[in-house]
């Protein structure tokens, strides 16, 4: 049972465009939703995270939108740049859970110059 | 900055060999993790440890074991390597379980079993 479903699997965007990656979760006990960014040859690194008590969080060009009733959250990258080309993973867990950070399957984003 | 170091970037092993993947973190984190990354499957948790000598199974523990004798070091052991264990292995550490305790990953070990 896949608890976090991520789409699309791959995404090609032109420089300056908006990249949107979507995730849906099943476990209503989840209360922490991070996004990780992974460049080729590197491990994933935390990009931005949100808790379900807010509907949106913005950090620079990156925004998480959260819809608790629909059990969905998404990452928006405004003014996408070639340097944003990477694999993006959404994840979900319960705060206080020692380990159970459940990841989506990842989205390979390519931003063309 | 937290540094998670995986001892090997690439490993090639033969079927049936016992394989050790080593990971060291330098930030005194309690929690350490081993993930496996495969194309189209994302990151899957193999094992984790929340204290020295403590371990718990993740989602795909079959064929693997772990060892944590010191707080900074967490080893993944493939008892008898098989070709379906060819993958990228990622170690991670985390200081706690709260909102401000992200996972810090190493750069991975790409293991090929022939």
């Amino acid at each position: 049972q896949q608890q976090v479903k991520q789409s699309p699997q791959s995404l090609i965007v032109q420089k300056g465009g908006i990249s949107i990656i979507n995730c849906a979760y099943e476990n209503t006990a989840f209360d922490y939703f991070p996004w990780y960014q992974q460049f080729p040859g590197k491990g994933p690194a935390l990009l931005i995270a949100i808790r379900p008590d807010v509907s949106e969080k913005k950090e620079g060009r990156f925004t998480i939108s959260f819809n608790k009733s629909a059990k969905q959250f998404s990452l928006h990258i405004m003014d996408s740049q070639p340097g944003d080309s990477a694999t993006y993973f959404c994840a979900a867990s319960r705060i206080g859970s020692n380990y159970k950070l459940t990841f989506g399957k990842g989205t390979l984003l390519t931003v063309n110059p | 900055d937290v540094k998670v170091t995986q001892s090997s970037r690439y490993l090639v092993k033969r079927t049936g060999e016992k394989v050790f993947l080593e990971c060291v973190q330098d930030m005194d984190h309690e929690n350490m993790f081993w993930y496996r990354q495969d194309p189209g499957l994302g990151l899957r948790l193999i094992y984790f440890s929340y204290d020295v000598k403590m371990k718990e199974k993740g989602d795909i523990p079959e064929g693997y074991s772990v060892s944590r004798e010191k707080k900074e070091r967490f080893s993944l052991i493939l008892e008898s390597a098989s070709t379906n264990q060819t993958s990228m292995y990622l170690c991670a550490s985390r200081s706690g379980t709260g909102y401000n305790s992200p996972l810090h990953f190493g750069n991975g070990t790409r293991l090929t079993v022939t």
Side-chain angles (χ1 to χ4, degrees), chain B residues 8-107:
Chain B
S8 301
R9 187 77 180 97
Y10 299 95
L11 274 179
V12 180
K13 297 293 182 179
R14 293 188 180 274
T15 301
E17 278 193 80
K18 190 170 186 177
V19 181
F20 294 85
L21 304 183
E22 306 288 345
C23 174
V24 176
Q25 50 95 2
D26 66 355
M27 284 301 291
D28 203 37
H29 286 172
E30 299 90 352
N31 304 305
M32 296 189 74
F33 308 80
W34 277 105
Y35 285 87
R36 173 175 171 163
Q37 181 175 10
D38 299 287
L41 295 179
L43 301 169
R44 294 180 291 167
L45 181 65
I46 304 171
Y47 267 97
F48 78 101
S49 168
Y50 53 89
D51 202 350
V52 175
K53 297 189 185 293
M54 306 303 289
K55 61 184 179 183
E56 286 199 24
K57 295 178 180 179
D59 297 319
I60 52 165
E62 296 78 18
Y64 303 94
S65 62
V66 291
S67 172
R68 194 168 181 199
E69 296 296 319
K70 294 184 178 181
K71 191 174 186 180
E72 68 271 17
R73 187 179 297 272
F74 192 35
S75 302
L76 180 70
I77 304 158
L78 286 65
E79 297 290 343
S80 177
S82 63
T83 54
N84 63 11
Q85 293 178 309
T86 292
S87 186
M88 172 67 82
Y89 291 88
L90 291 164
C91 175
S93 71
R94 190 179 185 190
S95 64
T97 60
Y99 183 66
N100 293 317
S101 301
L103 282 172
H104 296 270
F105 284 89
N107 287 332

Side-chain angles (χ1 to χ4, degrees), chain A residues 13-15 81-82 85 110-113:
Chain A
V13 175
Q14 292 301 117
K15 179 181 176 181
Q81 299 296 312
S85 297
T110 302
V111 181
N112 288 328

